Amino acid sequence: MKTGNRYDDLIVNVPEIFSHFPITEKKPDKRGQKFSDIFTILYRFEPLPLVVRKYLWYFLKRIGLDANWFYNFKHYWEEYLGGITLWGVEDFYFLRGVYRQKFHHLSLPRVNSEKTHLATWQKPAAISFLLDMVYRESLYNQLATVNLYFKYRQEETLPIMEFGSATGPITTTLFEFYNLQDKKIYISDLQTLAFHYGIYKFKDRANVIPVILEPKDHFSPRSPEKLGAIFCMTVFEHLNDSPGAAKKFHDLLSTNGLLIFDYLNTEGKGLDSLSAVKDRNKTLRFISQHFKIVHGNIWNESGNNTIVARKK
């Protein structure tokens, strides 16, 4: 399942990790991520204005007082991946730098099928993607994007989905700032190490349901029920079939359901897909024809903005 020196050369077999620690396993773990600690109580304390709570979050994270993100990853690294003990955040920062160098050499094949796409994301060097996601979550939350959902939603009870979720930054922010005991949330992605960590983070929450995207289904989004909102952030540019995904989102959403997304206008290098570059305008045309844009500029040239589209 794992080889290398268990520190800066840890090699993880991703399919075996999913097999050994299956996504159906729901075991509360006091050392895992907790959303009822003193910091989350503070971040959810509604008498304080949300803007105050947001800046408290940034302040406490940056001075290192709220280091739950590190202790959460430390347990996963040591107990699930079999890595050598991390004694402090300095060890984490060192690892991120080492693995980030390896990540620079990772790219999708120019002729890209579903199997090669998945195989690329499961390569050992992709452990850097996990480390980078954890690092970002330690410094930035997704409150601005999450609040667009609360601003424009018309249905409060329907489930939501974070598509291409990896470590689940949207879902993490939802639980950090809001009390969502009964809100059903689907997190969905390929069978990657980053997604396995996302599943681990929420393994003690019955209302968070992982959905693995399968090559045999062309990584098509799926849900057993209609959804009130789908988050698809920094994902479209990685897809082999972005128009197909947009059409499926339309099918899965309820009437007036929200699609909250961006679509970076890249050159198709690295882990970005050439198909996504070619199909970008086609995908955006479908969305503009079948959704009402209620926030953002869908034809922004860079695509580096958040769009909220309501299903017609």
Side-chain angles (χ1 to χ4, degrees):
M1 182 166 59
K2 47 195 175 291
T3 58
N5 64 10
R6 299 173 56 224
Y7 186 56
D8 60 353
D9 188 30
L10 181 66
I11 300 173
V12 178
N13 185 312
V14 175
E16 286 191 15
I17 283 287
F18 273 83
S19 176
H20 192 67
F21 300 106
I23 63 173
T24 54
E25 190 177 61
K26 289 281 186 181
K27 289 184 178 180
D29 191 330
K30 293 181 180 180
R31 294 174 298 177
Q33 179 157 333
K34 297 167 63 177
F35 294 102
S36 58
D37 57 29
I38 188 171
F39 296 110
T40 301
I41 292 172
L42 177 62
Y43 304 148
R44 290 181 183 173
F45 189 59
E46 292 187 2
L48 281 178
L50 185 59
V51 65
V52 174
R53 289 182 274 142
K54 178 183 74 172
Y55 285 114
L56 276 173
W57 186 97
Y58 281 116
F59 177 72
L60 294 172
K61 296 282 186 179
R62 279 166 170 72
I63 67 173
L65 190 58
D66 181 359
N68 283 345
W69 66 270
F70 169 70
Y71 294 111
N72 193 53
F73 178 80
K74 169 182 167 66
H75 176 252
Y76 180 78
W77 172 268
E78 296 170 7
E79 301 298 327
Y80 282 66
L81 301 186
I84 288 176
T85 299
L86 302 181
W87 293 106
V89 292
E90 295 81 8
D91 286 338
F92 173 86
Y93 295 142
F94 171 77
L95 288 176
R96 178 176 175 264
V98 170
Y99 286 105
R100 195 177 187 189
Q101 294 179 47
K102 300 180 181 181
F103 186 71
H104 282 274
H105 304 291
L106 195 60
S107 61
L108 291 171
R110 295 302 88 187
V111 179
N112 192 15
S113 67
E114 282 80 5
K115 288 185 177 180
T116 59
H117 189 100
L118 178 60
T120 301
W121 281 94
Q122 290 182 342
K123 286 184 177 180
I127 195 172
S128 171
F129 186 65
L130 167 62
L131 292 162
D132 196 53
M133 290 288 290
V134 173
Y135 175 73
R136 292 182 192 183
E137 286 185 27
S138 75
L139 295 177
Y140 305 101
N141 60 54
Q142 300 296 318
L143 196 56
T145 302
V146 162
N147 284 340
L148 291 174
Y149 162 72
F150 289 105
K151 180 178 180 179
Y152 292 105
R153 71 176 181 179
Q154 295 186 353
E155 170 57 63
E156 297 184 8
T157 60
L158 287 178
I160 63 178
M161 172 180 285
E162 183 175 1
F163 180 79
S165 61
T167 59
I170 295 289
T171 304
T172 298
T173 296
L174 280 166
F175 282 121
E176 281 188 318
F177 287 92
Y178 296 94
N179 187 10
L180 301 175
Q181 299 296 331
D182 301 319
K183 187 71 171 180
K184 189 182 292 184
I185 302 175
Y186 292 95
I187 54 174
S188 182
D189 209 334
L190 312 181
Q191 192 184 72
T192 66
L193 189 59
F195 185 43
H196 190 267
Y197 179 68
I199 295 169
Y200 156 78
K201 286 201 302 182
F202 305 108
K203 68 183 185 307
D204 59 345
R205 300 198 66 92
N207 57 329
V208 178
I209 303 165
V211 179
I212 293 179
L213 304 175
E214 301 287 355
K216 61 183 176 64
D217 299 325
H218 308 290
F219 304 128
S220 178
R222 68 182 192 275
S223 167
E225 56 190 322
K226 288 289 185 178
L227 303 170
I230 296 173
F231 292 88
C232 182
M233 304 303 300
T234 63
V235 175
F236 266 124
E237 58 271 17
H238 298 302
L239 301 179
N240 287 344
D241 182 12
S242 57
K247 292 175 183 176
K248 190 65 176 178
F249 291 154
H250 188 267
D251 293 340
L252 292 177
L253 285 166
S254 65
T255 303
N256 293 322
L258 299 177
L259 175 59
I260 303 172
F261 73 98
D262 57 12
Y263 196 153
L264 300 183
N265 193 2
T266 70
E267 298 178 352
K269 296 180 179 179
L271 291 172
D272 294 338
S273 167
L274 284 174
S275 297
V277 174
K278 177 175 67 71
D279 293 334
R280 184 173 186 270
N281 287 341
K282 181 180 178 181
T283 303
L284 295 178
R285 277 196 302 271
F286 175 86
I287 293 174
S288 65
Q289 292 167 1
H290 294 81
F291 291 81
K292 177 183 178 181
I293 308 303
V294 296
H295 175 86
N297 176 12
I298 193 171
W299 297 110
N300 178 280
E301 186 174 343
S302 70
N304 189 22
N305 65 332
T306 301
I307 310 299
V308 182
R310 177 172 290 132
K311 178 179 173 179
K312 293 179 180 178

